[in-house]
Amino acid sequence: MPTVHLLDYVAGNVRSLVNAIEKCGYTVDWIRGPEDVPRAEKLILPGVGHFGHCMSQLASAGYLPAVRAHIDAGKPFISICVGLQALFEGSVEDPSVPGLGLIKGRLDRFDDTQKSVPHIGWNSANTSGRSLYGLRPESKYYYVHSYKYPYVKGELEDQGWTVATGTYGGEVFVGAVAKDNVLATQFHPEKSGVAGLRVIKAFLTGEGAKTLGQVVGGPAPTGGLTRRVIACLDVRTNDQGDLVVTKGDQYDVREKTSGRDVRNLGKPVELAKKYYEQGADEVTFLNITSFRDCPLADLPMLEVLRRTSETVFVPLTVGGGIRDTVDTDGSKVSALEIAAMYFKSGADKVSIGSDAVLAAEEYYAVGRKLFGNTAIEQISRAYGNQAVVVSVDPKRVHVPNGVDATRHSTIRTRFPGPRGEEYCWYACTIKGGRETRDLDVVELVRAVEAMGAGEVLLNCIDRDGTGGGFDLELVEQVKGAVRIPVVASSGAGNPDHFREVFEKTRTDAALGAGIFHRGEYTVKQVKDYLAEKGLEVRQYEG
Ligand code: 1PR
C-alpha cells in the first residue's frame, strides 16, 4: 500500500485520521522527529487545541525548518484545523507565538455576542465554483474552532490561493485554502464522513492538486451551520457480563418486569455504525457504570471506540468515569490520563459528569478562583476546550415563588409542581442521578465554562426516556447563562420534538437515544422532517 507521513507532534485524536487514510487505501508512517521529515513524500500536519501550544511544540522540537523545506521542495502537504492556522503569520489566540507565515494575515476570534463559540458542527466549504480537492457546494464538513481567518474577497486569491469559505452567524471565514502542493483545511476531513474522505483521497492520489482552481459547475452552495442531530448510546455491562446499549426511564435502566434485567437494546459498535449511516452528525457513548472493577487499560469502552472509529467518520464523544481514579492495582490515574486513553482510542471529546459538579462546588467555595488542577482545566489545556464536554444531569425542584423561596436561579414554569408551584430551579445531580446537590444548573455551567469546558450536554432526569419532548425551559435557561454550545438532551419522542427544540430555543444541537434504539424513528427520518420544515441539516452521503 502507498504511504503517507503523519507528523506526530501534538496531543489529540489522530487515530481517526489514520483510520480515514487507511480507508482511502494508504498506510501511515510516523514522523517522530525533524530528521524524519525529508524522507516524507506526502506530509500531513494534524492540529488540535491551542495555536500557541501547537506552534511552540513544533518550534521547540525543531520541526519548522524541515516543514518549510518540504513545502519549498514542492512535495504534497496538507495541514488540518490548527494546522491551517499555523500557515498564517499569527493568531490573537497567542500573539506572542509566530506562525509559519506562508500566508499573509493573522487569525482573530469569532464574535460570541450573538452566537456560541467555539463554532462546532457541520458547515459549508464554498469554493465559488473552483475545483478544490473534491469539495462540493452541497456537502457539509465538520468544523470545531474558536479562531478563524476572516475572508476578504480577493485577498488570498491575489496571493495565489484557491479558497473555500464557510459562514457562521454573518462572519465569513476561510474553510480551506490550496495552492500548488499545499492544502489546508479548517474543518476536519477525517470527521466529515464521505465528503471528508473525498478530500483526503484527492490529496493522497494527487488528483486534487492536478485539478486545483479549475472552473467547475454544480449547484449554488447551501447556507451555513446545520442543525446537529446526535445519537447517544448509554453503555454498560448487563447481569450476564455483556456490554450492551441500554436506555433508562428517568435513569432507571432495568426492565419493569420481575427479573429487572438491564434493558438490552443492542451492541454499541453496530448501533454506532447504523446511526452514522442514517446521518447522525455525532455519536456519543456514555459509560454509565464506569466499569469500576476493570483495570483502566482494559476498559471495554476503549475497544468500543477503537472499533467504532474504523467505520464511523463523524465526531465521537465518550463520557462516564472521567475523574482522578485509583486503578485496580492501586496506582493513581488522573482524569487527564484517562482522557488521553480515550483520545488515543478514537474519541474526539470526553464528557465529564459528576466530577464537574464537585469541581464547580469547589470553585464557588474558594470564591470563584481557579488553580488549574481540575480535570476540565487540565484536559482543555492539553487538548483544547472543544474536546471537553460537561454532561449535566439536572432534576427539577419546584418552589412557590421565584425570589424568596431559594437562593437558586429559578424560572417561571409552564408546568406547575404538584402543589401548584409556579416556579422551579434545576438541581445538579451526581452518580447517575442518585445524589442531588445544592448547586443549580446555572451555577454549574458558568463554573465549567470558566474552567474551559467547550460544550454542555444538557440532560434532564425528569424528561429522560419519557418521549414527551425536550425541556425547553431548561434549555433556554442554560443557553442564557453561557456562550459555549449547548446540546439539548432527554425526552425526544418524535421528529417534531427536534423541530420544536431548534425553533423554540437557541440550542446548538439536539440528542436522542431511546427514539432511535427502540426503532421508532431513524436519524434520517428526523433529519428529513427537519429539512421539510425548512431547517438546514446535513444528509448522509453514501
Ligand atoms: O458522572 O462523569 O461518571 O458520567 C456518567 C455519565 O453517565 C453522565 O453523562 C450521565 O449523564 C450518564 N448516566 C449515568 N447514569 C445514567 C443512567 O441512565 N442511569 N445516563 C446515565 C444518562 C441520559 C442521556 C440519555 C438522554 C436521552 N442518560 O444519555 O441518552 O437522556 O435519552 P432519551 O432520548 O431516550 O430521552 P460521570
Side-chain angles (χ1 to χ4, degrees), residues 131-135 162 178-183 198-214:
S131 165
L132 206 171
Y133 286 79
L135 292 177
T162 303
K179 178 171 145 182
D180 306 327
N181 53 319
V182 176
L183 165 67
R198 218 165 28 232
V199 175
I200 295 175
K201 198 155 193 177
F203 169 75
L204 294 171
T205 58
E207 200 49 40
K210 245 187 256 160
T211 54
L212 180 64
Q214 289 177 1

Side-chain angles (χ1 to χ4, degrees), residues 358-495:
L358 302 178
E361 288 176 351
E362 181 67 19
Y363 170 75
Y364 290 110
V366 298
R368 301 177 193 230
K369 288 202 189 75
L370 291 171
F371 301 98
N373 56 350
T374 61
I376 297 172
E377 288 165 279
Q378 290 180 15
I379 301 169
S380 63
R381 208 163 40 235
Y383 294 93
N385 60 359
Q386 82 294 334
V388 184
V389 180
V390 166
S391 164
V392 189
D393 300 310
K395 251 187 196 160
R396 256 177 191 237
V397 181
H398 292 281
V399 284
N401 61 61
V403 210
D404 341 304
T406 170
R407 69 168 187 86
H408 292 293
S409 297
T410 55
I411 52 163
R412 186 168 195 159
T413 174
R414 284 174 46 237
F415 307 96
R419 281 177 290 281
E421 299 96 325
E422 288 187 2
Y423 288 81
C424 73
W425 61 281
Y426 291 90
C428 295
T429 66
I430 58 172
K431 301 180 184 165
R434 288 192 295 280
E435 193 178 315
T436 304
R437 311 290 295 193
D438 187 27
L439 183 83
D440 63 58
V441 278
V442 171
E443 290 172 310
L444 174 66
V445 295
R446 287 196 174 138
V448 300
E449 181 176 51
M451 288 173 206
E455 195 168 49
V456 170
L457 166 51
L458 184 59
N459 302 303
C460 175
I461 296 182
D462 311 273
R463 295 296 177 105
D464 174 60
T466 62
F470 297 94
D471 188 333
L472 308 181
E473 295 175 336
L474 168 64
V475 176
E476 263 312 275
Q477 190 187 28
V478 168
K479 271 302 295 180
V482 284
R483 301 260 161 97
I484 54 177
V486 172
V487 178
S489 165
S490 303
N494 62 51

Side-chain angles (χ1 to χ4, degrees), residues 232-234 246-253 284 286-290 319-323 351-356 391-393 429-434 457-461 463-467 470 489-493 511-515 517-518:
C232 181
L233 292 82
D234 290 356
T246 189
K247 184 67 216 62
D249 298 325
Q250 300 178 310
Y251 287 33
D252 178 2
V253 298
T284 295
L286 295 175
N287 162 2
I288 69 168
T289 43
S290 313
I322 296 171
R323 64 178 80 97
S351 163
I352 304 179
S354 306
D355 193 64
S391 164
V392 189
D393 300 310
T429 66
I430 58 172
K431 301 180 184 165
R434 288 192 295 280
L457 166 51
L458 184 59
N459 302 303
C460 175
I461 296 182
R463 295 296 177 105
D464 174 60
T466 62
F470 297 94
S489 165
S490 303
L511 173 152
I515 180 177
H517 306 331
R518 291 187 298 266

Side-chain angles (χ1 to χ4, degrees), residues 228-250:
R228 251 189 302 157
V229 175
I230 301 174
C232 181
L233 292 82
D234 290 356
V235 178
R236 60 164 287 167
T237 35
N238 64 10
D239 302 320
Q240 291 72 46
D242 304 320
L243 199 62
V244 298
V245 172
T246 189
K247 184 67 216 62
D249 298 325
Q250 300 178 310

Side-chain angles (χ1 to χ4, degrees), residues 94-420:
D94 191 342
S96 66
V97 180
L100 277 160
L102 202 68
I103 310 177
K104 285 202 191 76
R106 304 181 78 76
L107 289 114
D108 62 22
R109 193 170 194 272
F110 278 117
D111 175 7
D112 65 4
T113 47
Q114 301 291 326
K115 60 183 182 292
S116 306
V117 176
H119 165 232
I120 299 185
W122 296 80
N123 205 323
S124 306
N126 170 21
T127 66
S128 305
R130 299 275 165 186
S131 165
L132 206 171
Y133 286 79
L135 292 177
R136 291 187 186 167
E138 68 279 20
S139 294
K140 295 288 179 180
Y141 303 89
Y142 187 77
Y143 292 86
V144 47
H145 57 133
S146 301
Y147 296 84
K148 48 93 193 64
Y149 191 71
Y151 178 69
V152 178
K153 200 167 186 288
E155 186 200 20
L156 298 184
E157 290 88 340
D158 289 348
Q159 297 177 44
W161 295 92
T162 303
V163 185
T165 58
T167 305
Y168 182 40
E171 294 188 82
V172 184
F173 61 91
V174 170
V177 284
K179 178 171 145 182
D180 306 327
N181 53 319
V182 176
L183 165 67
T185 63
Q186 179 62 70
F187 60 84
H188 284 270
E190 76 282 15
K191 288 278 135 195
S192 299
V194 169
L197 294 176
R198 218 165 28 232
V199 175
I200 295 175
K201 198 155 193 177
F203 169 75
L204 294 171
T205 58
E207 200 49 40
K210 245 187 256 160
T211 54
L212 180 64
Q214 289 177 1
V215 176
V216 284
T222 48
L225 191 63
T226 65
R227 309 298 182 138
R228 251 189 302 157
V229 175
I230 301 174
C232 181
L233 292 82
D234 290 356
V235 178
R236 60 164 287 167
T237 35
N238 64 10
D239 302 320
Q240 291 72 46
D242 304 320
L243 199 62
V244 298
V245 172
T246 189
K247 184 67 216 62
D249 298 325
Q250 300 178 310
Y251 287 33
D252 178 2
V253 298
R254 292 191 176 267
E255 299 283 8
K256 302 282 178 275
T257 51
S258 55
R260 297 276 291 148
D261 286 340
V262 170
R263 217 173 262 157
N264 178 351
L265 295 165
K267 295 185 177 158
V269 179
E270 279 79 347
L271 279 186
K273 181 159 185 275
K274 180 166 124 183
Y275 298 145
Y276 165 65
E277 287 171 354
Q278 289 176 1
D281 293 315
E282 292 183 32
V283 175
T284 295
F285 293 103
L286 295 175
N287 162 2
I288 69 168
T289 43
S290 313
F291 306 102
R292 288 181 198 92
D293 304 322
C294 173
L296 289 169
D298 301 334
L299 278 178
M301 214 55 167
L302 294 171
E303 186 56 19
V304 167
L305 282 161
R306 279 193 282 267
R307 289 188 34 221
T308 302
S309 64
E310 283 167 14
T311 52
V312 174
F313 296 101
V314 296
L316 304 176
T317 302
V318 63
I322 296 171
R323 64 178 80 97
D324 295 346
T325 307
V326 177
D327 210 345
T328 44
D329 65 358
S331 56
K332 285 190 182 158
V333 185
S334 69
L336 178 61
E337 288 168 310
I338 295 175
M341 286 193 240
Y342 280 129
F343 291 132
K344 275 206 189 93
S345 304
D348 300 282
K349 315 185 208 182
V350 292
S351 163
I352 304 179
S354 306
D355 193 64
V357 175
L358 302 178
E361 288 176 351
E362 181 67 19
Y363 170 75
Y364 290 110
V366 298
R368 301 177 193 230
K369 288 202 189 75
L370 291 171
F371 301 98
N373 56 350
T374 61
I376 297 172
E377 288 165 279
Q378 290 180 15
I379 301 169
S380 63
R381 208 163 40 235
Y383 294 93
N385 60 359
Q386 82 294 334
V388 184
V389 180
V390 166
S391 164
V392 189
D393 300 310
K395 251 187 196 160
R396 256 177 191 237
V397 181
H398 292 281
V399 284
N401 61 61
V403 210
D404 341 304
T406 170
R407 69 168 187 86
H408 292 293
S409 297
T410 55
I411 52 163
R412 186 168 195 159
T413 174
R414 284 174 46 237
F415 307 96
R419 281 177 290 281

